[in-house]
Amino acid sequence: MAYTVVFVHAHPDDEALLTSGTMADLALQGHRVVLVVATDGAAGLAAVHASRRDLAAVRHEELEHSAQLLGAAAVYWLGYGDSGLNAEVLPQPDAPMPLVYAPREEVVGRLAEILREEAAAVVVGYDSNGGYGHPDHMAVHEIVYEAAAAANVPRILEATLPRDRLARLAHLVSWLRFFLREFDPTMFDDAFTSREAITCTVDVRHLAGVKRDSLRAHASQASGGSVPRTVALLLALPLWLYRRWFGSEYFVERGADAGATSIV
Ligand SMILES: [Zn+2]
């Protein structure tokens, strides 16, 4: 039986970082994989793009390319503004409305319409921490639950990471001195999800190459700023290491038993 699984992400490149292996795996199994991205991601740094509008256009193209690599059957770009890591992007007359300032009923209504039209069997959003606390990710967490309820989607999953694994990665990253300027190794203490709360772990080691290609499609995120970007760092890893570190993807389904290995 083929299902439609809708992945809702906050920014272009979040799909590559969190759920790309699962998306590619489902598409290969014949399921209909749909990608919804809420914002244009134009608050991200990128050295080569002078204007915000240029950057949004580039990120849109990159997203389409990534979605194609993952076998997504449809991509919906909601086109809200990226609210920034500290919700510092305020509404401007000639820029898209930052997601956190957009009327919530409107955003929920638009997502619910997509879920109905696609007859989604499963919708995937984020954990309640919004991963590492980005306001757009926290908004997506709430929007997905509300829209899924409105559209009667039978199953809701939260894409996440086990926080102990992240803490180890963060330690390694700082050891490699590739850290971001504001990097604080304790920032993951309350981020994402404890390992005990994860209900589904999908083995995507065989798709490490596709995962990395999907991330590579977001080339604008690998440059810009005065410090090496996380994306550039990840792309520089050899494939065997990429496979080892990113060979599993993690989900939480409220009320489900732990130990699932597939989200459908
Ligand atoms: Zn994001």
Side-chain angles (χ1 to χ4, degrees), residues 10-11 13-14 126 132 134 137:
H11 310 105
D13 80 4
D14 287 324
Y126 295 145
Y132 53 94
H134 192 298
H137 287 240

Side-chain angles (χ1 to χ4, degrees), residues 50-192:
S51 83
R52 189 192 176 291
R53 192 169 307 172
D54 284 355
L55 178 56
V58 167
R59 298 211 68 183
H60 195 174
E61 259 171 51
E62 291 174 345
L63 179 73
E64 292 283 350
H65 184 206
S66 163
Q68 200 181 357
L69 292 169
L70 301 177
V75 181
Y76 296 86
W77 171 266
L78 299 186
Y80 291 102
D82 183 336
S83 310
L85 192 51
N86 300 300
E88 71 277 17
V89 180
L90 299 175
Q92 301 278 338
D94 51 1
M97 184 61 88
L99 182 64
V100 295
Y101 294 104
R104 185 53 63 87
E105 324 78 67
E106 174 197 296
V107 188
V108 169
R110 288 181 64 194
L111 179 59
E113 197 181 310
I114 293 167
L115 296 175
R116 271 187 222 108
E117 232 167 68
E118 290 284 351
V122 182
V123 59
V124 181
Y126 295 145
D127 61 58
S128 56
N129 293 324
Y132 53 94
H134 192 298
D136 288 335
H137 287 240
M138 292 162 78
V140 163
H141 166 77
E142 292 170 7
I143 290 160
V144 164
Y145 273 94
E146 288 173 38
N152 292 314
V153 178
R155 295 180 57 218
I156 306 167
L157 282 94
E158 305 171 4
T160 190
L161 292 167
R163 75 171 67 107
D164 62 318
R165 183 160 185 86
L166 252 151
R168 276 209 305 279
L169 253 179
H171 181 80
L172 195 99
V173 168
S174 65
W175 175 75
L176 287 170
R177 297 173 57 83
F178 275 118
F179 52 86
L180 301 168
R181 181 172 290 161
E182 65 275 34
F183 181 78
D184 168 6
T186 64
M187 71 189 276
F188 296 120
D189 287 358
D190 298 314
F192 293 94

Side-chain angles (χ1 to χ4, degrees), residues 5 7 20-33 67-73 207:
V5 184
F7 290 81
S20 52
T22 304
M23 292 169 72
D25 196 34
L26 292 170
L28 285 170
Q29 289 173 40
H31 299 291
R32 179 173 171 85
V33 172
Q68 200 181 357
L69 292 169
L70 301 177
L207 293 161

